[in-house]
Amino acid sequence: MFALSLLLAAFLIITDQVLKAVVNNKIELGKVIEVIKFGDAKIFSLTHIRNSGAAWSMMSGKTWFLVSLPIIVCIAGIFYMYKIRKGSKLEIVSVSMIIAGGVGNLIDRVRMHEVIDYIKFEPIDFPIFNFADICIVLGAIAFCLSIVISDVKKSKSDKLDKKKVEADA
């Protein structure tokens, strides 16, 4: 499962970089392309921007930190995936998604000192984001879910073991 999770991460990284290249080459910086609209209500658009910070442009200009942190997280994530390689598939996949998102944005930061963002959901006041960000968020949610599932399974197993001990006594 470890090798497959690395392949998944590579696929997600390539997907992220291809999407960013298309946006960079086909959508002028600052341009908004409305994709989904109902009457006057804008729902979804592609908006090409650059972000030198993290989410909500926090830590803008702190490139050294925004490069160092994902490197550390990715290295730790790879070691962790290897350690749990025979464990929960959901947990391994979730870590590979987090790694893929981190590397996708890291490539931009190293190459351009900023990240290409382009996905905008209009009805809510939320920052424009990209595919790598989606990988990180979905990976984090899946990781949390895998921990909850693991805890529920362990709790059920502990109850069964306790009942068995009581029945044998």
Side-chain angles (χ1 to χ4, degrees):
M1 189 64 195
F2 178 70
L4 285 175
S5 61
L6 291 177
L7 286 173
L8 172 63
F11 173 77
L12 294 173
I13 293 165
I14 291 167
T15 301
D16 173 65
Q17 291 300 299
V18 167
L19 289 170
K20 288 175 180 172
V22 168
V23 167
N24 196 43
N25 293 324
K26 300 291 182 185
I27 303 174
E28 195 176 305
L29 189 61
K31 184 173 182 181
V32 176
I33 299 173
E34 294 173 354
V35 178
I36 301 174
K37 184 177 173 183
F38 295 108
D40 290 337
K42 299 174 188 173
I43 305 297
F44 171 74
S45 67
L46 296 175
T47 305
H48 181 181
I49 66 164
R50 303 291 176 88
N51 183 358
S52 64
W56 289 277
S57 296
M58 289 185 298
M59 299 176 19
S60 190
K62 305 281 190 229
T63 305
W64 63 270
F65 179 77
L66 296 171
V67 166
S68 302
L69 183 63
I71 290 172
I72 293 166
V73 169
C74 290
I75 291 169
I78 290 169
F79 280 114
Y80 183 72
M81 279 187 347
Y82 183 77
K83 180 181 173 191
I84 63 164
R85 65 189 176 279
K86 295 185 193 296
S88 163
K89 289 177 178 55
L90 179 61
E91 190 173 2
I92 293 169
V93 167
S94 67
V95 174
S96 70
M97 290 175 70
I98 294 167
I99 290 169
V103 170
N105 282 338
L106 178 63
I107 290 169
D108 286 6
R109 288 191 199 289
V110 169
R111 195 169 54 94
M112 304 179 310
H113 303 285
E114 56 192 1
V115 173
I116 296 173
D117 286 331
Y118 50 90
I119 300 170
K120 172 85 170 131
F121 284 106
E122 302 285 350
I124 56 175
D125 185 24
F126 195 77
I128 299 169
F129 55 97
N130 61 46
F131 182 77
D133 299 333
I134 293 170
C135 289
I136 294 168
V137 170
L138 292 180
I141 291 168
F143 186 77
C144 292
L145 186 60
S146 73
I147 291 171
V148 169
I149 291 169
S150 174
D151 284 351
V152 168
K153 284 181 181 178
K154 186 177 181 322
S155 177
K156 285 182 180 180
S157 175
D158 289 349
K159 286 179 184 177
L160 287 174
D161 289 346
K162 185 177 177 184
K163 285 182 182 181
K164 186 177 181 202
V165 168
E166 289 173 356
D168 290 343

